[in-house]
Amino acid sequence: MIDTTVGKRLLPLLIALLVIFQAQLWLGRGSIPNVRQMEQQLSEQLERNQQAKARNAQLEAEVRDLKEGLEIVEEKARTELGMVKPNEIFVQISK
């Protein structure tokens, strides 16, 4: 059996350790609320990363088209700059 004087000294120490561990669980750097906030931030960042990847893929395809052929150049010149070929008539219809 444990001596009663040792038990009386050990009990407050164990209670103090329990309080410290509980404080870390609820208030510390790895606390439950902090982990939830970090998970939310991670989720938002992953979404932004996915959007950036989609945009990068679109830009890569456009660059590849520009390198491979002149059709995209001609299309962009016509739509964005209003250019026409010689002996061609441009008709714009507005809605």
Side-chain angles (χ1 to χ4, degrees):
M1 283 274 177
I2 299 177
D3 186 15
T4 57
T5 58
V6 173
K8 288 181 182 179
R9 291 181 185 163
L10 190 59
L11 185 61
L13 178 63
L14 292 175
I15 291 174
L17 286 175
L18 181 64
V19 168
I20 290 170
F21 288 136
Q22 283 293 316
Q24 282 294 319
L25 180 65
W26 294 104
L27 305 172
R29 192 174 97 182
S31 67
I32 292 173
N34 190 16
V35 169
R36 285 187 182 150
Q37 179 186 12
M38 292 173 82
E39 286 174 345
Q40 177 66 27
Q41 290 173 348
L42 176 63
S43 174
E44 291 169 1
Q45 185 63 48
L46 290 173
E47 177 66 28
R48 286 192 298 267
N49 289 354
Q50 192 63 30
Q51 291 171 353
K53 284 180 183 179
R55 178 73 176 131
N56 287 347
Q58 179 184 4
L59 290 173
E60 283 179 23
E62 193 171 325
V63 167
R64 190 173 41 256
D65 286 344
L66 287 170
K67 287 180 180 179
E68 290 176 357
L70 296 176
E71 295 90 18
I72 190 80
V73 174
E74 183 179 340
E75 179 185 336
K76 285 203 170 281
R78 288 175 173 273
T79 58
E80 294 178 8
L81 302 174
M83 298 182 87
V84 293
K85 292 182 180 179
N87 298 324
E88 189 175 60
I89 299 172
F90 176 70
V91 178
Q92 182 175 5
I93 301 173
S94 61
K95 293 182 181 182

